[in-house]
Amino acid sequence: MCQVDEEYNGQLEHRVTPRVSKKCVKCKENTAVLIIRAGDAFCRGCFKEYFIHKFRAMLGKNRVIFPGEKVLLAVSGGPASSSMLSQVQEGLSRDAPKKLRFVPGIIYIDEGGASGQSMEERERAVAQLESVFRATNYHYHIVHLEQVLSLPSSVLEAGSSATEKPQTGSSYKAAVDQFIQTKKNQHPDFSVENAQSHLSSLSMQKVENGVTSPITPEHTQALQRLFASVRTLTAKEDLLYTLRQHLILHTARTQGYTKVMMGDSCSRLAIKLLSNISLGRGASLATDTGFSDPRYGDVVIVRPMRDYSSKEIAYYNRMFDIPSVFIPGLDTKAQDKASIQHLTESFVTKLQTDFPSTVSTIYRTSEKLHTACPPQNTNTQPFAKCLLCVCALDTKLEEFSAYQATLISEQLSQRRGPGPGFTRGTEAAPGLPPVSSASQGQCCSSGGGQHQGCMTGEGGCCSSAKEPETVDLKSLLCYSCRLTIKDMTAEDALPQYILSEAERRKRRSQMREEISEFLLDEEEDEAIPRVNGSL
Amino acid sequence: MAAPIAIHLEFGGGAELLFGSVKEHHVTLPNQSEPWDMKQLLVWIRGNMLKERPELFVQGDTVRPGILVLINDADWELMGELEYELQDKDNVVFISTLHGG
């Protein structure tokens, strides 16, 4: 059943429609032009209504965007995010009482430095996108990926949520009613105010829009060095995703946006779900693929396009002339098996052609995953979060966890040969239990993965008393981020903010250990960071 | 008996990369006895237009999964997919949905 070239002659027979044109299933009058899902044929007008309605229903069902809020739209130029941009425009422009009410801004991240594009190509793409953005009259920010090298380390801290509003329907409705009231009261001056705010926003546009700082070739080279030090495409894509998220988060925080809208479509999220499981991110599936992602605290990531399949989006863009720019990425024209993400994508798309309900089944499964409520005290220790992806650390060393088992099997299968780091001279037999390996030097403890870090890092690390950076990073990361870092040959190529934040957390945990006996015996969750810090 | 047919081809969503980054092509399919259908068109495209990596566009008899085909702005599933017979001045669009957004 799952073979590549299997013939389904019997079934295909009845899928091929005869020359008689089908009628739209909704209005039953016009000729259908598109089939979505498993067999519903829609005509052009009904499809447009359906498409627009879905977007607003998605926002209305999950009442997370309050009126007047500043929302940052993350547009990559691709079809889904361009479609999202047009839906936002559509939703904000209506005069109906149910129109969307928030203040949008746009961010575009130019990743050409990482995917090896030339400056001219990047500038061309940016120019094309800028013309699209200008037509929308919203603030826009063009950020180059190189700017990730100069981010402050505060970006890795989860902020506290700005408002403690309980997310009940009544408070949302109250907020909306209040908003409408204030608008009505201002009505006589409304047009003047509107014009004024429009003018001020236009003038601000000159300052805020465009490139915030020019990019020097050194920056691009540093970025390329970072990506060149990552061996596998899987890890590169993962790292790129993480850095992109950090940049978007930083921009949102500095410009005062409280929500970020990402353009992940249903198909893309289904692929992401499966590839995340393969990457070891199973613990954070709900936040990675759910509608709202609260992991950053003060900025919430929202995915309003998660109900649209890529076919619907592509068709809508074509039919209603939504401009989108194709920008080649890291995995363009890559082989099928080049990375886990790419392989999952081809698997799901192939399965989808023969079994059209694949993507929606995966999507429905992901809908059933719910984010656990964040703990009430919002100054949860930062040790409890992964350094890179800011999701909860899942590597607490319980006695008999699956994670422990992977560590042990890793040690058992590593061959410990002599090398520059192993000045003790003893050749460790592969079957050594972790306890005695600790005697060979601090940086060789816990996990054979350190093995490579010691070899390629500073030469005399084992003999020096100072603990090398490699240990710090790994203990602060969740399982899948560890795998990504493990694939890097030169961890010092990581941007400064990551390394300095890692150092800070390490110092903090050391300090906490030192004063642990003086700390009052509190609730249990004090014990948890100590376990993590002592790794 | 079929006269040479003029077809307007468009490529989008990244598929144009395989065709020298040119999105629009006007082609004339040569004379042949049976009418041209989509299956033959694909074979013709593969032989005459694809500059590189044919497996990224065509898979076996049909297009690669993930490529949306529109014939005169209608889903090709409604027109018979591979069995559809091409008429003169038809507009066929291939959109790759594989690069997300």
Side-chain angles (χ1 to χ4, degrees), chain A residues 388-431:
Chain A
L388 286 180
C389 62
V390 201
C391 57
L393 272 183
D394 54 352
T395 50
K396 302 195 279 271
L397 291 181
E398 290 139 13
E399 273 282 321
F400 302 107
S401 66
Y403 179 64
Q404 265 291 48
T406 54
L407 279 184
I408 291 177
S409 63
E410 201 173 0
Q411 282 164 26
L412 293 179
S413 53
Q414 287 279 353
R415 273 181 306 114
R416 303 264 176 95
F422 292 89
T423 52
R424 313 292 152 152
T426 48
E427 288 200 48

Side-chain angles (χ1 to χ4, degrees), chain B residues 40-101:
Chain B
Q40 293 170 351
L41 176 67
L42 286 178
V43 172
W44 188 88
I45 291 179
R46 185 194 178 130
N48 296 37
M49 291 180 70
L50 260 182
K51 302 266 188 294
E52 52 180 330
R53 308 289 299 279
E55 75 275 9
L56 291 182
F57 188 73
V58 181
Q59 198 178 75
D61 265 348
T62 179
V63 290
R64 184 181 180 210
I67 298 197
L68 181 63
V69 184
L70 302 178
I71 304 176
N72 297 329
D73 289 343
D75 193 355
W76 74 331
E77 285 180 37
L78 287 167
M79 317 285 260
E81 280 202 30
L82 289 171
E83 318 285 320
Y84 171 77
E85 285 177 8
L86 289 166
Q87 323 278 330
D88 196 28
K89 300 216 187 20
D90 267 353
N91 186 21
V92 183
V93 185
F94 297 92
I95 304 181
S96 167
T97 57
L98 291 172
H99 261 83

Side-chain angles (χ1 to χ4, degrees), chain A residues 109-126:
Chain A
I109 299 200
D110 166 32
E111 297 169 5
S115 51
Q117 286 187 293
S118 68
M119 268 322 273
E120 300 85 48
E121 287 174 356
R122 293 167 68 178
E123 278 167 19
R124 220 174 338 146
V126 166

Side-chain angles (χ1 to χ4, degrees), chain A residues 9-28:
Chain A
N9 279 323
Q11 284 182 9
L12 275 183
E13 226 69 272
H14 76 285
R15 268 185 71 186
V16 174
T17 40
R19 298 290 169 265
V20 176
S21 40
K22 280 175 104 161
K23 292 288 179 205
C24 168
V25 299
K26 198 160 167 216
C27 60
K28 300 199 184 9

Side-chain angles (χ1 to χ4, degrees), chain A residues 145 183 263 395 416 424 433 458 473 485 498:
Chain A
L145 192 63
K183 281 281 167 156
T395 50
R416 303 264 176 95
R424 313 292 152 152
E458 312 87 86
L473 272 183
I485 297 297
I498 295 180

Side-chain angles (χ1 to χ4, degrees), chain A residues 192-214:
Chain A
V192 177
E193 236 194 56
N194 213 5
Q196 274 182 353
S197 63
H198 196 64
L199 274 176
S200 63
S201 70
L202 276 181
S203 60
M204 269 162 71
Q205 260 186 5
K206 288 217 168 36
V207 175
E208 287 187 25
N209 283 344
V211 185
T212 40
S213 57

Side-chain angles (χ1 to χ4, degrees), chain A residues 80 92 106 123 140 167 202 221 246 328 350 420 444 457-458 479 520 527:
Chain A
L92 282 174
I106 306 176
E123 278 167 19
Y140 61 88
Q167 300 289 342
L202 276 181
Q221 270 171 24
H246 288 173
K350 272 192 203 152
C444 306
E458 312 87 86
Y479 180 63
L520 291 173

